[in-house]
Amino acid sequence: MGLLALEFSDCYLDSPQLRDRIRAHEAELDRTNKFIKELLKDGKTLIAATKIIPLLSRGKKCIKRSEINFLGFLSVTETLIKPLERFRKEQLGAVKEEKKKFDKETEKNYSLIDKHLSLSPKKKELQLQEADCQVEQNRRHFYEVSLEYVCKLQEIQERKTFECVEPVLSFFQGLFTFYHQGYELAKDFNHYKMDLQINIQNTRNRFEGTRSEVEELMNKIKRNPQEHKRADQFTMEGYLYVQEKRPAPFGSSWVKHYCTYKKQTKTFSMIPFEHRSGGKAGDLEAFFLTYCTKRNTDTIDRRFCFDMEAADRPGIPVTMQAFSEDERKLWVEALDSKGGEGSFSWAVPARGEGSAQLDEIGFTIIRKCISAIETRGINDQGLYRVVGVSSKVQRLLNLLMDAKTCSEVDLENSVEWEVKTITSAMKQYLRSLPEPLMTYELHGKFIIPAKSGSPESRVSAVHFLVHKLPEKNKEMLDILVKHLANVSNHAKKNLMTVANLGVVFGPTLMRPQEETVAAIMDLKFQNIVVEILIENHEKIFRTLPDATFPEPISTSISPPNAPPRQSRRQGQRNKRPVAVYNLCLDLDDGDSHSSPKEDTPTGSMDSLSSQSPTPAISSSPSGPDKNHLILDSVLEMGSVASSTLGESISFYVPFSSAVPRKARAVYPCEAEHSSELSFRVGAIFEDVQLSREPGWLEGTLNGKRGLIPENYVQFL
């Protein structure tokens, strides 16, 4: 699946998930640096050996041949070694310097926060205000450094895709040209070389465009972070210090946790996490919230504190401390059931619905435009790439969208409207729809098959998803794609190949709901989806998809693109599970079973951590809904911890896991161990049950029983 995109908005949360993604990017760059070093070492060894050959050879003929070989390998230094050394020193070296700066600012920021939060409220108000101002300035500087480092990591990952490959291509091109025999081979290699050159240039162009968009997004977030918050599943999330009381005479200590709260289910979850201890997370705790109240400074020797109570521990409040007064206010508003809807979630501003709709007028507009384009300009060079004058485009669009004037506009015979004006008006109309033609709901599912898999599986996945679209969307898409297929059939004259049409209509048909780094990185995959639609139009729109084809899995919980099995499995073998939630759900009466323990001293977090980690559900909604609410919440928080913190969280549901089920393979798999099964897409497994290996299932295929990666199959 590759590396996850680093979101600028996450820099303001500095969450464990962001830190884990940063470490993944850093590890990938370390691997790149090591590979370049080994390649350079081999190249220098080859040159040294070539220099020795003339001294060891006997006879003038042998010496002459050796000199020719030496001249040929001289190109290694200029075309391969020096560019790679320059990339390693300048680009990878710059990232190392940024990392040092980032680590230094991280240590400085959290050290200052720790020191600041321990200030007594009894100090003079002026001193407290100066301390608050100093901490806030330091935090803003830390966020700016974090943004710059994240941007640099994202840039270097994209840059290496062409700056490391291009020297290799230059070396082989020079080598093949130098030798007479190489010249003959170069002719056979030429079409591969041309394809690679085109791909490198396209990658470079995409990099330049992507970098400018990413930097623009970063600058927008710098100017106003609150206006670019991302939509999130949690009402509130961030770091809090939790008071943990110790037996006398040790007093209490304050431990930093990453906390999340979901208002719909009143579920509060937290993970101990300390940046300075190597970034290792502790055990996940989740419980239902009863109440939350602000803590007065005269009752505690700390600022920005508030109390909250878990449903399974009535009368035992837990004291939390926020980083600032503003953050405490946000937490209290989010946690207080009687309060307002204060939220730290990164919500997307609602898109105002224009007059563009998938109604009768909309279909008339598209059909009129397509008819005019195919009649007048199907062979025009750069069709859909050449844009019209914006004022004329808007005027034409206004006439077409007015029911009174739409029928009067003659696009096929009027010289007033140029073909480029008509094409621009049609694209503008599609962009003006309240929701893209391929819908926000299915956007991520369309992207998944475009990222990996065989060509056949990509087509099958897109075929399946197109028939999940609303009927009007599918009908409009059918009309449009049929027209684009006709345009591509005239590519020799209009130069609009399927790839060019994908570049034009990818963002139009599949615009993302949010402006994020991940959305910018997914632009090329949108183009691939449109290419698949055009190339397989007849199959996708004229036939029904395979009824047994599995719907692409969402990327929110587990990676859908067949992650490595062995590395994941070995990592889980060597790591202790963060927490094991024994949710014994009785499906007959909906009751949940828990074993309460004796109360511990008031306000102590030991009352929560010393007991079973099963979330409290005593005062939550009753019946089956209660079980679903807490299970959903724990799965959400647990999936975040397991996928991003590198720890495994196992959820055992004894009642359902004991029932053998059938499953169907979503991705192919080659066994890497004798205990694993090899299978192809579509294989049906019998007697599938949970395995002792976290993230794995046990099943039977063709009479053989073995382990199956959990996210490679879909239950039937």
Side-chain angles (χ1 to χ4, degrees):
M1 180 181 179
L3 296 172
L4 295 175
L6 299 174
E7 298 295 347
F8 294 126
S9 55
D10 287 344
C11 293
Y12 288 85
L13 290 173
D14 192 28
S15 65
Q17 294 83 4
L18 174 66
R19 291 286 177 154
D20 191 65
R21 289 196 290 270
I22 288 177
R23 283 195 293 273
H25 279 254
E26 292 171 347
E28 180 61 26
L29 292 181
D30 287 339
R31 285 192 292 269
T32 302
N33 189 35
K34 183 178 179 182
F35 170 78
I36 292 176
K37 282 185 176 180
E38 293 176 352
L39 184 62
L40 295 178
K41 180 180 178 182
D42 293 340
K44 291 176 181 178
T45 302
L46 182 62
I47 292 176
T50 309
K51 291 179 180 179
I52 297 174
I53 289 176
L55 302 177
L56 301 179
S57 301
R58 291 185 178 181
K60 187 174 180 180
K61 188 175 181 181
C62 291
I63 294 175
K64 190 67 177 177
R65 187 183 301 115
S66 299
E67 289 175 351
I68 293 174
N69 290 336
F70 174 66
L71 290 174
F73 283 108
L74 281 179
S75 62
V76 177
T77 302
E78 295 299 324
T79 62
L80 184 63
I81 293 180
K82 286 186 178 180
L84 289 179
E85 280 185 334
R86 186 165 54 251
F87 174 79
R88 189 178 69 84
K89 292 179 180 179
E90 295 178 1
Q91 300 298 331
L92 297 182
V95 174
K96 289 184 178 179
E97 293 300 320
E98 289 288 336
K99 174 177 169 51
K100 291 179 183 178
K101 183 179 177 182
F102 175 70
D103 291 341
K104 180 179 177 181
E105 289 300 324
T106 298
E107 176 66 25
K108 179 181 176 182
N109 178 59
Y110 286 105
S111 297
L112 188 60
I113 288 176
D114 290 344
K115 181 179 178 181
H116 176 64
L117 294 178
S118 62
L119 287 177
S120 172
K122 297 178 182 178
K123 290 185 177 292
K124 293 183 180 180
E125 185 64 27
L126 182 60
Q127 291 179 327
L128 294 176
Q129 290 179 358
E130 290 178 354
D132 290 348
C133 182
Q134 181 183 1
V135 169
E136 190 58 30
Q137 289 178 351
N138 187 74
R139 289 181 71 187
R140 283 199 297 268
H141 180 64
F142 168 69
Y143 291 149
E144 290 181 2
V145 172
S146 179
L147 285 169
E148 296 290 345
Y149 182 52
V150 164
C151 184
K152 188 65 177 178
L153 282 176
Q154 200 75 56
E155 176 184 335
I156 198 68
Q157 293 292 357
E158 293 296 311
R159 184 184 291 276
K160 73 177 185 181
T161 58
F162 59 86
E163 289 204 1
C164 290
V165 179
E166 199 167 27
V168 178
L169 174 63
S170 299
F171 165 69
F172 280 109
Q173 184 175 353
L175 192 64
F176 289 146
T177 305
F178 182 82
Y179 291 104
H180 177 71
Q181 293 178 346
Y183 175 75
E184 296 297 327
L185 292 174
K187 289 194 296 186
D188 297 333
F189 174 74
N190 189 60
H191 66 284
Y192 295 108
K193 182 191 72 173
M194 293 301 298
D195 289 344
L196 188 54
Q197 283 179 334
I198 293 171
N199 290 336
I200 288 175
Q201 187 59 45
N202 290 338
T203 304
R204 185 185 290 275
N205 293 338
R206 282 197 299 267
F207 166 77
E208 296 296 339
T210 301
R211 182 175 65 173
S212 62
E213 292 185 30
V214 169
E215 289 180 349
E216 183 181 354
L217 176 60
M218 180 183 69
N219 292 329
K220 285 181 182 178
I221 293 180
K222 271 187 179 180
R223 289 192 293 270
N224 197 338
Q226 298 297 324
E227 289 186 0
H228 292 82
K229 292 182 177 181
R230 293 192 299 120
D232 203 350
Q233 58 183 341
F234 300 114
T235 306
M236 185 72 181
E237 61 179 316
Y239 284 102
L240 291 173
Y241 280 78
V242 181
Q243 185 184 32
E244 295 188 355
K245 292 191 175 181
R246 306 298 182 192
F250 299 105
S252 62
S253 62
W254 294 83
V255 181
K256 186 167 62 177
H257 289 65
Y258 192 80
C259 305
T260 62
Y261 177 67
K262 195 167 185 178
K263 196 177 186 72
Q264 293 83 348
T265 60
K266 292 189 176 180
T267 309
F268 189 92
S269 305
M270 56 187 182
I271 301 176
F273 187 83
E274 179 55 58
H275 296 81
R276 291 172 295 184
S277 63
K280 185 175 181 180
D283 295 346
L284 169 69
E285 298 180 38
F287 50 85
F288 280 116
L289 179 71
T290 301
Y291 80 90
C292 172
T293 182
K294 186 177 178 181
R295 186 77 175 262
N296 294 327
T297 55
D298 56 355
T299 62
I300 191 171
D301 194 28
R302 285 235 176 181
R303 307 167 66 205
F304 320 134
C305 294
F306 59 92
D307 289 341
M308 55 185 296
E309 184 178 294
D312 65 331
R313 288 296 175 188
I316 305 179
V318 179
T319 302
M320 307 264 185
Q321 184 181 26
F323 283 178
S324 66
E325 181 60 34
D326 290 338
E327 289 191 15
R328 176 171 70 168
K329 182 178 178 181
L330 288 173
W331 274 106
V332 172
E333 287 180 354
L335 296 173
D336 185 9
S337 59
K338 299 179 181 179
E341 295 293 330
S343 172
F344 199 67
S345 63
W346 291 60
V348 180
R351 182 187 295 273
E353 292 192 9
S355 54
Q357 299 290 338
L358 289 179
D359 52 13
E360 184 178 348
I361 293 180
F363 279 89
T364 301
I365 292 172
I366 297 301
R367 288 192 175 101
K368 285 175 72 74
C369 290
I370 288 176
S371 177
I373 293 167
E374 293 187 346
T375 302
R376 298 172 52 192
I378 195 69
N379 293 320
D380 289 3
Q381 286 191 6
L383 186 66
Y384 285 110
R385 274 205 180 263
V386 181
V387 297
V389 180
S390 58
S391 57
K392 290 186 68 176
V393 171
Q394 191 58 50
R395 186 157 61 91
L396 173 59
L397 204 53
N398 292 337
L399 292 174
L400 291 173
M401 293 172 67
D402 190 339
K404 298 179 181 178
T405 57
C406 180
S407 58
E408 300 175 359
V409 178
D410 185 6
L411 297 179
E412 294 187 17
N413 301 308
S414 175
V415 295
E416 180 182 0
W417 308 111
E418 299 170 310
V419 173
K420 63 181 181 181
T421 304
I422 300 173
T423 57
S424 297
M426 190 172 82
K427 289 188 293 183
Q428 182 62 35
Y429 182 84
L430 293 172
R431 295 190 192 108
S432 302
L433 293 171
E435 190 174 15
L437 210 54
M438 299 175 76
T439 72
Y440 293 132
E441 180 183 358
L442 296 178
H443 178 90
K445 295 179 180 179
F446 273 110
I447 293 294
I448 290 171
K451 288 185 175 181
S452 66
S454 64
E456 295 78 11
S457 64
R458 288 182 176 186
V459 174
S460 298
V462 173
H463 188 188
F464 177 83
L465 291 170
V466 164
H467 287 264
K468 300 274 288 184
L469 290 170
E471 195 59 37
K472 286 187 176 180
N473 294 60
K474 187 173 69 172
E475 183 182 351
M476 178 69 82
L477 189 63
D478 182 11
I479 296 171
L480 180 62
V481 174
K482 181 180 179 181
H483 163 64
L484 296 181
N486 188 23
V487 172
S488 66
N489 291 336
H490 295 76
K492 289 185 178 180
K493 293 184 178 180
N494 59 34
L495 305 182
M496 292 305 292
T497 61
V498 173
N500 288 338
L501 291 171
V503 171
V504 173
F505 281 91
T508 300
L509 301 179
M510 295 184 64
R511 68 173 183 267
Q513 191 170 9
E514 298 178 82
E515 188 179 9
T516 63
V517 176
I520 295 173
M521 296 299 172
D522 284 345
L523 281 175
K524 52 182 172 290
F525 301 115
Q526 295 173 190
N527 305 344
I528 292 174
V529 174
V530 175
E531 291 176 27
I532 292 173
L533 289 173
I534 297 173
E535 291 175 339
N536 303 274
H537 170 263
E538 289 298 322
K539 176 182 178 180
I540 291 175
F541 291 95
R542 300 294 174 263
T543 63
L544 293 176
D546 184 359
T548 61
F549 187 84
E551 185 173 349
I553 305 170
S554 172
T555 59
S556 60
I557 294 180
S558 62
N561 297 326
R565 283 100 48 212
Q566 192 172 13
S567 60
R568 169 174 175 160
R569 185 176 169 199
Q570 289 173 346
Q572 290 179 335
R573 283 174 174 169
N574 298 331
K575 292 182 180 179
R576 176 182 61 85
V578 174
V580 178
Y581 289 84
N582 292 294
L583 305 181
C584 303
L585 308 182
D586 188 340
L587 301 186
D588 292 331
D589 55 13
D591 292 335
S592 62
H593 308 283
S594 60
S595 54
K597 297 188 177 183
E598 296 180 1
D599 293 343
T600 52
T602 302
S604 173
M605 275 305 297
D606 295 337
S607 62
L608 295 176
S609 60
S610 62
Q611 57 182 319
S612 171
T614 304
I617 54 177
S618 57
S619 62
S620 60
S622 60
D625 291 339
K626 168 179 62 179
N627 296 331
H628 289 301
L629 290 178
I630 190 64
L631 180 59
D632 289 345
S633 175
V634 171
L635 285 174
E636 286 169 358
M637 192 62 184
S639 64
V640 170
S642 62
S643 62
T644 61
L645 298 181
E647 299 283 354
S648 59
I649 297 181
S650 303
F651 301 93
Y652 296 103
V653 187
F655 183 89
S656 61
S657 63
V659 180
R661 300 178 63 183
K662 290 185 178 182
R664 183 180 186 276
V666 183
Y667 303 101
C669 175
E670 290 293 333
E672 298 176 354
H673 191 271
S674 59
S675 62
E676 300 174 15
L677 294 177
S678 296
F679 50 85
R680 296 182 178 180
V681 175
I684 304 298
F685 302 95
E686 304 286 344
D687 191 22
V688 179
Q689 298 181 357
L690 288 176
S691 169
R692 292 182 181 180
E693 297 277 0
W696 291 73
L697 303 171
E698 289 185 7
T700 303
L701 178 64
N702 299 328
K704 182 181 178 182
R705 189 157 186 85
L707 294 174
I708 311 162
E710 186 175 6
N711 54 348
Y712 276 57
V713 301
Q714 186 178 57
F715 283 105
L716 300 178

